[in-house]
Every structure is written in structure tokens, then in C-alpha cells.
Amino acid sequence: MATAQRLSALAVVLGGEPRVEQGDLSLALAAAELIDLTEAQAVLLDGDRVLPAAPVRTGCPMLIEAASQVVRDFPYETVVGWLWRRGSGLARRYRAAAADARHVHRDAADAMGDWNDPVLAHLAAAAGMRPTPSDDTAADLDPDQIAILGETHQAVTQLAAERQRRSIERGPSEGILRGF
């Protein structure tokens, strides 16, 4: 099962506890796809750029779609650019795909055994599904995974800051409108 499918299955099992922000989950799912694409050598990382490489060989329709959306023109796309572009609405799409699958509960149960997988543990932490793993798990990650996970955590932090900014901007006007 692809990493993003496993992460999505974990989100289903947890049922939103703790409360998982869909934007955070979408960014983590985009990162999971990118990690799988690097492992399949369908893309290469050159610094912070995602370069197209070989065709992806997988039976996962979402991963095939992800590979088809890799920017193929110089200067290529940054990892963070990929996360934001590919991640847009991705949690909703994975949830819909999981709902269509008859075996979602079996996959979800299998995914629960994956908490010890360092990549999945870090992605789940980025999505807010669990605490950040200890630093010693980074020893089990390759440089591409570390780079992608680092960019993912930064993107999630930026998204949280944007949520807070919008909340602050809305706060006083909503209180006045409601008579508070």
C-alpha cells in the first residue's frame, strides 16, 4: 500500500481524534506521495527542486496521477511548491477514494501496525495525528525523506500561522456582528 494510502487509512481509524486539520493532512499526503515517487525513482530531488525521472510503476491510481502532475519544465518545481499545489484538497480526495474501497477497514487496521515506520510516524506528526517522533528515528530516514519531511513541517507551520492570522482578523468583527 502506498504511503499516502496508509496515512489516509490512519486518519480514518483515528476518526478525527485528535482533531486533524484537513489542510495539514493534505500537505502530509502530498509529502507521502512525493516520498513514494522518490523511492520509485519517478522523481529526483536536486536541492529543493523536484525533477522528473522515470515513469512510475505502480497499481495505485492516486500515485500515478501524482506522477503525471510533476512539472517537467526547467526550472522545475520546489518541494514546497509541490506540497501546496498537489496538496490542495488532497485529504478530501483520499477520503473519497477510501470510502469507495470495500477493504478500507482492513487497510486501516493494517496501517495501525505501521506507527513504527519512521516515515509514516513523521508524516502523521506533521498532520497532527500524533506527537513528533524522537530524533533517533531520523537515523532511519534517507536524505530525500528528511528534506521532504522538513519542508512538510515548515508548510504545516505556515498554514497554522495563516489560520491564526485569519482568525485574528475575523475575530473582532465577528464578535461585533454577533453582539459580543
Side-chain angles (χ1 to χ4, degrees):
M1 184 183 323
T3 305
Q5 288 174 309
R6 292 170 32 216
L7 183 63
S8 180
L10 285 170
V12 168
V13 167
L14 294 175
E17 291 299 327
R19 171 84 169 95
V20 177
E21 293 287 346
Q22 293 305 291
D24 298 353
L25 181 57
S26 289
L27 289 168
L29 288 166
E33 289 180 338
L34 190 55
I35 287 171
D36 283 349
L37 290 174
T38 61
E39 288 176 359
Q41 298 179 342
V43 299
L44 303 172
L45 292 189
D46 183 15
D48 70 340
R49 299 284 170 175
V50 179
L51 282 62
V56 67
R57 300 186 197 299
T58 180
C60 175
M62 293 291 282
L63 200 54
I64 292 168
E65 177 186 289
S68 74
Q69 292 184 357
V70 172
V71 173
R72 302 198 178 282
D73 299 318
F74 184 83
Y76 307 108
E77 186 170 37
T78 63
V79 170
V80 75
W82 164 270
L83 296 175
W84 287 110
R85 183 177 58 82
R86 177 66 183 160
S88 181
L90 200 56
R92 181 178 55 250
R93 295 184 56 228
Y94 268 94
R95 189 173 47 250
D100 289 342
R102 295 180 189 268
H103 61 283
V104 68
H105 294 293
R106 180 179 49 84
D107 287 349
D110 291 346
M112 287 302 285
D114 290 338
W115 279 125
N116 293 330
D117 176 333
V119 170
L120 193 62
H122 280 275
L123 289 167
M129 295 165 51
R130 66 171 293 165
T132 302
S134 63
D135 288 340
D136 61 340
T137 62
D140 296 327
L141 302 172
D142 68 39
D144 287 347
Q145 292 169 337
I146 291 170
I148 294 167
L149 291 167
E151 293 289 345
T152 305
H153 283 283
Q154 287 181 359
V156 168
T157 300
Q158 290 172 343
L159 184 56
E162 181 62 20
R163 275 191 211 106
Q164 183 176 18
R165 184 188 66 77
R166 289 182 183 185
S167 174
I168 290 168
E169 288 175 355
R170 276 192 318 260
S173 63
E174 284 183 3
I176 291 169
L177 292 174
R178 292 182 185 165
F180 293 115

